[in-house]
Amino acid sequence: MACQQSRYHSFSSASRLQPRPSGVTIDESFLTEDKSTQNRKLLQKRRTLPYREIFEFFIEDFKTYKPLLSSIKNAYEGMLAHQREKIRALEPLKAKLVTVNEDCNERILAMRAEEKYEISLLKKEKMNLLKLIDKKNEEKISLQSEVTKLRKNLAEEYLHYLSERDARKILIADLNELRYQREDMSLAQSPGIWGEDPVKLTLALTMTRQDLTRTQMELNTMKANFGDVVPRRDFEMQEKTNKHLQEQEIQRTSTPRPDWTKCKDVVAGGPDRWQMLAEGKNSDQLVDVLLEEIGSGLLREKDFFPGLGYGEPIPAFLRFDGLVENKKPSKKDVVNLLKDAWKERLAEEQKETFPDFFFNFLEHRFGPSDAMAWAYTIFENIKIFHSNEVMSQFYAVLMGKRSENVYVTQKEIVAQLLKEMTNADSQNEGLLTMEQFNTVLKSTFPLKTEEQIQELMEAGGWHLSSSNADLLNYRSLFMEDEEGQSEPFVQKLWEQYMDEKDEYLRQLKQELGIELHEEVTLPKLRGGLMTIDPSLDKQTVNTYMSQAFQLPESEMPEEGDEKEEAVVEILQTALERLQVIDIRRVGPREPEPAS
């Protein structure tokens, strides 16, 4: 213990008496650095200097551990030197960072100043616009007051002219009365000439004038109403001759009318069902009904369908090799399935092709294992039943013969018509008068002719004995039976739409003035459409052109571009493509100028 105390005492005295080692010096590089950095480094060296000196004394006193302590000292010295070098290398980066920071601050300040300048300009512009608006409002108020004043002056002038007109009429009547009185006086002065009483003659003259006026009015009415009417005898003779010629023509050209009553014993369900199927149908429609009955019977007998293979012409939803099971659904089940498919299609956001959607719908509904069987089953059913609206329209869309927009637009039109009728039904009783029914039809379909409106009225229940006050249950016009068949009113709407489309395309062909086998250019077809339907907007015309020439709208040349003349197509092909989409008249055709 005493030894340790003596060693500690000697070490303490030595530490007080030993001079500073010659190796501890200030680095001359500090002289070239800035003042704050030099002060900081000097402070750090002064803090570590006592520890370094003490460590050197330890090395000198403890000879045994001198190599180990020297290694430790050297390692620390090397690390400190490395850190000093690293700090020295980072100093320029710090200076650069400071410079960049200053540049960024200057840019931010410049941007803020620019923004303040722009904001001040916008505020000034806003104030100018507000002043301009106030000025325009004042001008508007001034013009309105001027218009009011002019209307007031016009009304005063109108009343003045009315007063003048009435005064002139009164004056003319007075002059005529004076003339008549003078004539009467002249007659009264010479009674022996006429041999009659002047008073009686005056009264007879007045009555004669009234009779003449009435007779003249009746004659004008008869001329206006019956000027073009032929005598009854000539009409009956011409009618008899025409009927005779028609009978001869029918006998010469017509074929024997089939006896459709023979089918009642062959069709399933007997005479009652055949009578229900044949009611109100012509021969052509009865042929379709008979073919559907035969086809449905054969379809029920099949247990399997042969697969059509994987050829290119085969629709994607029918590509399969081998036998496919016939699911044998009822007609009602098929119709309900197709209605569900339409509902899901209308609710779909990402539109895919209709055939792909149809097969995906069947996979989701019946699973991947039965989807192909149901695809063949549904396809064979809708191919047979042409008279069923739901099946025939779905088949046309599925096979690409008709755009699905045709179906969607027609449904929207029917829904809009029902909405208009409901709005007209102020009592919400489901009833409209025939006059209200006629008014709603004309307002909803302003481009339809009187004849077409009359056809819709008759399909809705109007007849010759109906009056404007007769009530109509309009909601019953939009009902469907269990097989999806609409009422005659909705069917007539569809028939008129198809007839209007055919007539529209016929007018287009007539306007173009070329044959079906000849080529038509894009600008010529566009010009023909704008001529027969001037109300078409540019977007609709581009849609029609894209369909007719099978070009995406983004790739179509602009109107007036030289490339338009290079886009050609056979007229018949273009018209057939337009027949597929929902093409209809937008506005009335302008009357042709008189020659």
Side-chain angles (χ1 to χ4, degrees):
M1 186 70 178
C3 179
Q4 290 180 354
Q5 288 180 355
S6 62
R7 176 174 293 185
Y8 176 76
H9 178 71
S10 62
F11 173 76
S12 300
S13 60
S15 60
R16 288 193 303 268
L17 298 175
Q18 278 286 347
R20 179 179 296 174
S22 60
V24 181
T25 58
I26 298 175
D27 193 352
E28 294 181 358
S29 62
F30 281 99
L31 300 176
T32 61
E33 296 176 352
D34 60 324
K35 188 174 182 180
S36 61
T37 306
Q38 290 179 0
N39 292 336
R40 187 173 63 254
K41 290 183 178 181
L42 287 173
L43 182 61
Q44 290 175 354
K45 284 198 172 186
R46 288 172 183 171
R47 286 178 181 175
T48 58
L49 186 60
Y51 300 103
R52 184 178 299 169
E53 292 176 352
I54 293 170
F55 201 79
E56 289 178 353
F57 290 144
F58 271 111
I59 293 173
E60 293 297 331
D61 289 347
F62 297 98
K63 303 295 184 179
T64 306
Y65 302 103
K66 184 176 182 179
L68 177 60
L69 295 176
S70 299
S71 301
I72 294 172
K73 178 178 177 296
N74 293 335
Y76 272 102
E77 290 291 341
M79 179 60 66
L80 290 174
H82 175 70
Q83 292 296 330
R84 281 195 296 271
E85 291 295 330
K86 193 171 182 180
I87 291 171
R88 189 178 292 109
L90 292 176
E91 285 296 333
L93 293 179
K94 180 181 178 181
K96 186 176 182 181
L97 181 62
V98 172
T99 305
V100 171
N101 187 21
E102 292 176 354
D103 292 341
C104 291
N105 290 334
E106 290 176 358
R107 290 181 183 178
I108 291 172
L109 293 175
M111 291 174 66
R112 287 179 179 174
E114 186 177 356
E115 287 177 355
K116 288 181 179 179
Y117 179 70
E118 291 180 356
I119 290 172
S120 63
L121 290 180
L122 290 174
K123 287 182 178 178
K124 290 180 182 178
E125 186 178 358
K126 176 184 174 183
M127 296 302 297
N128 293 333
L129 291 175
L130 289 175
K131 291 179 181 178
L132 181 61
I133 291 173
D134 293 338
K135 184 178 179 181
K136 293 294 182 183
N137 288 334
E138 291 176 358
E139 292 179 358
K140 178 182 176 182
I141 294 172
S142 175
L143 291 174
Q144 286 179 345
S145 61
E146 188 175 352
V147 168
T148 304
K149 184 178 179 181
L150 290 174
R151 284 180 177 174
K152 185 178 179 181
N153 294 337
L154 179 62
E156 292 176 354
E157 289 292 329
Y158 180 68
L159 293 175
H160 177 67
Y161 288 139
L162 284 179
S163 301
E164 284 191 357
R165 186 194 66 178
D166 295 339
R168 288 182 181 180
K169 286 184 178 180
I170 294 172
L171 181 60
I172 291 172
D174 292 341
L175 290 174
N176 290 333
E177 184 67 24
L178 289 174
R179 184 167 58 85
Y180 293 151
Q181 288 178 4
R182 189 177 62 181
E183 291 176 357
D184 294 343
M185 290 175 65
S186 63
L187 290 173
Q189 290 175 0
S190 55
I193 298 176
W194 302 98
E196 294 289 344
D197 187 4
V199 177
K200 291 182 179 180
L201 290 175
T202 303
L203 182 61
L205 180 62
T206 303
M207 297 299 294
T208 304
R209 284 172 178 161
Q210 293 177 359
D211 293 340
L212 178 62
T213 302
R214 185 172 60 255
T215 305
Q216 188 67 38
M217 291 175 62
E218 291 179 355
L219 179 60
N220 292 335
T221 304
M222 296 290 288
K223 285 182 178 180
N225 293 336
F226 305 104
D228 298 330
V229 177
V230 298
R232 178 180 292 276
R233 183 180 58 185
D234 295 343
F235 172 74
E236 291 177 350
M237 185 178 297
Q238 291 293 334
E239 187 179 26
K240 184 177 180 181
T241 304
N242 185 36
K243 185 176 181 181
H244 180 66
L245 292 174
Q246 286 181 350
E247 290 176 353
Q248 289 182 348
E249 182 68 18
I250 291 172
Q251 291 176 359
R252 185 178 64 85
T253 60
S254 63
T255 57
R257 181 177 178 83
D259 185 8
W260 294 106
T261 57
K262 295 179 181 180
C263 300
K264 64 183 180 181
D265 298 326
V266 181
V267 173
D272 294 337
R273 186 166 182 272
W274 174 252
Q275 184 177 359
M276 181 188 68
L277 292 174
E279 184 178 1
K281 292 182 174 62
N282 56 31
S283 297
D284 186 51
Q285 292 172 335
L286 288 174
V287 171
D288 291 337
V289 171
L290 189 58
L291 290 175
E292 289 178 5
E293 289 295 315
I294 296 173
S296 62
L298 295 174
L299 197 60
R300 285 192 296 269
E301 293 176 359
K302 284 186 177 182
D303 293 327
F304 296 94
F305 300 111
L308 300 178
Y310 293 91
E312 186 66 25
I314 307 300
F317 61 92
L318 296 178
R319 292 177 183 174
F320 186 78
D321 273 333
L323 295 177
V324 183
E325 181 186 0
N326 181 7
K327 295 296 183 178
K328 298 183 180 181
S330 65
K331 191 175 180 181
K332 178 181 177 181
D333 293 336
V334 175
V335 169
N336 291 333
L337 184 64
L338 297 181
K339 287 183 177 179
D340 292 343
W342 273 120
K343 289 179 183 178
E344 188 167 325
R345 179 62 170 178
L346 295 178
E348 189 180 33
E349 295 182 357
Q350 298 295 333
K351 295 290 185 183
E352 54 187 337
T353 62
F354 198 81
D356 291 341
F357 157 77
F358 175 59
F359 192 75
N360 292 336
F361 168 77
L362 294 178
E363 281 187 332
H364 179 71
R365 187 72 169 262
F366 302 106
S369 58
D370 285 341
M372 187 59 69
W374 277 102
Y376 269 83
T377 301
I378 298 299
F379 178 75
E380 292 295 334
N381 276 271
I382 63 178
K383 187 172 66 174
I384 290 175
F385 293 102
H386 296 286
S387 63
N388 185 278
E389 297 175 29
V390 179
M391 293 190 185
S392 61
Q393 292 185 9
F394 197 91
Y395 176 77
V397 175
L398 189 63
M399 300 307 294
K401 297 179 180 179
R402 187 177 299 147
S403 171
E404 60 184 291
N405 286 336
V406 175
Y407 173 85
V408 174
T409 305
Q410 194 66 17
K411 286 294 183 183
E412 291 176 350
I413 290 174
V414 172
Q416 179 64 25
L417 180 58
L418 176 59
K419 181 181 178 182
E420 294 294 333
M421 292 185 182
T422 305
N423 293 336
D425 181 13
S426 58
Q427 302 297 327
N428 197 22
E429 297 175 346
L431 299 175
L432 290 178
T433 63
M434 284 297 176
E435 185 177 2
Q436 290 175 319
F437 184 45
N438 182 274
T439 303
V440 170
L441 289 177
K442 288 183 177 180
S443 63
T444 307
F445 305 111
L447 298 179
K448 287 189 182 295
T449 62
E450 286 291 338
E451 182 180 355
Q452 290 176 315
I453 297 295
Q454 188 67 25
E455 289 178 353
L456 292 175
M457 293 279 291
E458 293 175 358
W462 183 90
H463 44 82
L464 293 175
S465 60
S466 300
S467 66
N468 289 336
D470 288 346
L471 295 177
L472 169 70
N473 182 7
Y474 64 89
R475 292 174 183 167
S476 63
L477 303 179
F478 301 92
M479 298 178 66
E480 296 180 352
D481 60 16
E482 61 180 8
E483 293 183 353
Q485 290 294 96
S486 303
E487 292 296 317
F489 177 75
V490 177
Q491 294 179 10
K492 178 58 68 175
L493 277 175
W494 174 257
E495 292 175 8
Q496 287 187 356
Y497 165 70
M498 296 303 293
D499 293 341
E500 290 166 1
K501 180 190 284 189
D502 294 338
E503 176 63 18
Y504 191 77
L505 295 178
R506 187 195 66 77
Q507 292 179 8
L508 177 59
K509 177 185 177 300
Q510 183 179 2
E511 180 64 30
L512 294 174
I514 59 177
E515 297 298 327
L516 291 174
H517 62 273
E518 295 180 340
E519 290 184 340
V520 60
T521 62
L522 190 149
K524 188 169 185 178
L525 187 60
R526 179 191 284 122
L529 276 171
M530 295 302 299
T531 301
I532 67 171
D533 196 359
S535 301
L536 282 172
D537 57 88
K538 184 177 180 181
Q539 179 60 39
T540 305
V541 174
N542 288 340
T543 302
Y544 292 167
M545 296 299 98
S546 174
Q547 174 68 15
F549 294 96
Q550 293 295 291
L551 281 175
E553 293 188 32
S554 58
E555 298 180 7
M556 288 182 58
E558 293 291 335
E559 187 173 357
D561 195 341
E562 296 179 354
K563 297 180 181 178
E564 280 189 316
E565 295 292 338
V567 181
V568 295
E569 186 57 83
I570 303 297
L571 178 59
Q572 183 173 0
T573 304
L575 294 179
E576 288 174 353
R577 290 171 179 169
L578 291 176
Q579 184 75 34
V580 172
I581 63 174
D582 178 34
I583 181 171
R584 64 179 72 221
R585 180 172 293 281
V586 176
R589 183 170 184 175
E590 293 181 353
E592 297 180 359
S595 59

